[in-house]
Amino acid sequence: MKALTKKNLLILGAILLTFTVVQGLISVGIINKFYEITIAMICINIILAVSLNLVTGFTGQFSLGHAGFMSIGAYFGAVINLQMESTGGFLLGIFAGALAATLVGILIGIPTLRLKGDYLAIATLGMAEIIRVVFLNLDITNGAAGLSGIPRYTNWLWLCFFTVATVLLINNFIKSSYGRACISIREDEIAAESMGINTTKYKVMAFAIGAFFAGIAGALHSSYFYFIRPDIFGFLKSIDILIIVVLGGMGSITGSILAAILLAVLTTYLQAFTAVRMIIYALLLVVIMIFRPQGIMGTKEISDLFKSKKKDERIG
Amino acid sequence: MPLLSVDKLTKSFGGLTAVSNVTMNIEKGELVGIIGPNGAGKTTLFNLFTGVYTPTSGSIKLDSDGEVKELGGLKPYNVTKAGLARTFQNIRLFKDLTVLDNVRIAMHQNIQYKLPSAFFRFNKFYNEEESLREEAIKLLDIFHLSHKKNELAKNLPYGEQRHLEIARALATKPAILLLDEPAAGMNPNETANLTETIEWIRQEFKLTILLIEHDMSLVMKICERIYVLDYGMMIASGKPAEIRANKKVIEAYLGEDVSNA
């Protein structure tokens, strides 16, 4: 088993330790309901940001429609979960939502990903709006009033499981030949094509994978917060996710994770200053962007910081 | 049948005919040069061969092991798959990626493992990535770049960037290598060095090479045959000595009056 390296075992140990400690703190009540919400927000935002980073940071396709895919997952999860109130229904809802989001991602990706830069941004923005309006007008989604009373199956166990799975799978993808093909599109599309890379195929692939995980995040969201309505997944939500990606560093997975945690903690503590909360939040973003425009991590990962330069970069 | 046969190839952009009625045949194993004054249509010709442009009319046929393929109108990545690889006049490396990754990306089209292996890292993934890596380093060794494999491409000196671009093109395992002004911006020393390298890789990889070049010392020294373009038209073709003595070629480069004087 080549996967059982010292580094991977270390990561596994750290994940298990984090899970156990947080689970312990929740059961003894040190982490109360209020902070539990922060933790749920962090996990869902990590999934959203890492998956958007694959599209925007690594493949270089500027998307403003990530919340659209999230809403597909959220509604599929909610509708299925309301019909089948069991853990099985919850998991089925997650996977149905993720697959539906992937399918929509592929369908929308094929025509729009021919566009570049700002044109693509506008097209994806429009796509997310269309998805929102569809949910606003369907009977099964209960229109503008939204769905309520969604049973809560999302707990720390599932949040932790899906967050870790998302980060690991996307990380594995990026560090494979397929991931390098995606990164080459970001670097130079013409050169990538003349090196034998079908750029449209890999853009759509990145877009579809991003949509899959956004769908998972959406289903986790609806099952945690009991209640969803279309305007939760509007333009502002897409921007929120993009902010995490840009702040963490386009092309850095660990950067997205750090930024998701930082922003969630910040939002939680700023709730004490209701009136000026958004001003402080916005000011902080401006200041960080002025002093570190490449984001917290740039395109580096945390593991790069510990690596000595002379050491050979191995796979993984 | 020649390896590459180009028949009456024409490309117009609106009213401008950049390449007009060009016919050429490249035999397997040849090293052929394309020369011509600035704006003669040399790079446009390369762009037609490699699928960047679609021909207005005419055909480009590649004979790959007895199977004849029409390249005109194919997408660039399909042309590369068919066996044509190129370098660019203005270097187009993946600047912010490492030297090793530049080469590994070019090897992607031959990757065997599927997406699930990439996501879940089955043993297939590790085995193939390992052999891919070894192959890439072997290729870099040829260009004396393997000790710089973890450097970013943009940090290499100019001459090495040119070499890396050739290495990257070779990584796609081409039958024909198209070099667009490989010696541009090099000093005489570097050019001599490059001349040797081109001859060497041709032997080593049993390649057919087509190159555009302004540096006559390089063209005259290594090309077996030369095609001359002027205003999109082929004005001469033949051995270097013939080209050097060709009246039309001298006119194209120096102007009519000179040859009359």
Side-chain angles (χ1 to χ4, degrees), chain A residues 229-270:
Chain A
R229 54 170 207 274
D231 60 356
I232 298 174
F233 308 105
F235 172 58
L236 284 176
K237 183 68 197 174
S238 289
I239 295 289
D240 276 346
I241 306 167
L242 189 66
I243 287 174
I244 301 174
V245 174
V246 175
L247 189 68
M250 305 241 265
S252 169
I253 293 180
T254 39
S256 289
I257 297 172
L258 280 180
I261 296 171
L262 182 76
L263 289 184
V265 171
L266 202 66
T267 317
T268 308
Y269 283 103
L270 282 178

Side-chain angles (χ1 to χ4, degrees), chain A residues 53 56-58 174-175 183 186-187 245-246 248-255 292-305, chain B residues 96-97 152 154:
Chain A
N53 208 339
T56 301
F58 289 96
I174 286 165
K175 289 186 178 154
I183 294 171
R186 174 190 75 192
E187 291 296 315
V245 174
V246 175
M250 305 241 265
S252 169
I253 293 180
T254 39
R292 218 176 148 73
Q294 73 273 46
I296 299 171
M297 298 295 296
T299 56
K300 290 207 160 50
E301 301 293 349
I302 286 185
S303 57
D304 295 339
L305 303 180
Chain B
D96 289 311
L97 302 184
L152 296 185
K154 66 176 174 193

Side-chain angles (χ1 to χ4, degrees), chain A residues 2 172 177-178 188 194 202, chain B residues 80 92 108 113 119 127 133:
Chain A
K2 294 185 180 181
N172 285 356
S177 192
Y178 294 90
D188 187 330
S194 65
Y202 288 101
Chain B
T80 310
R92 273 184 178 270
H108 176 72
Y113 68 83
F119 275 122
N127 296 336
R133 187 189 157 79

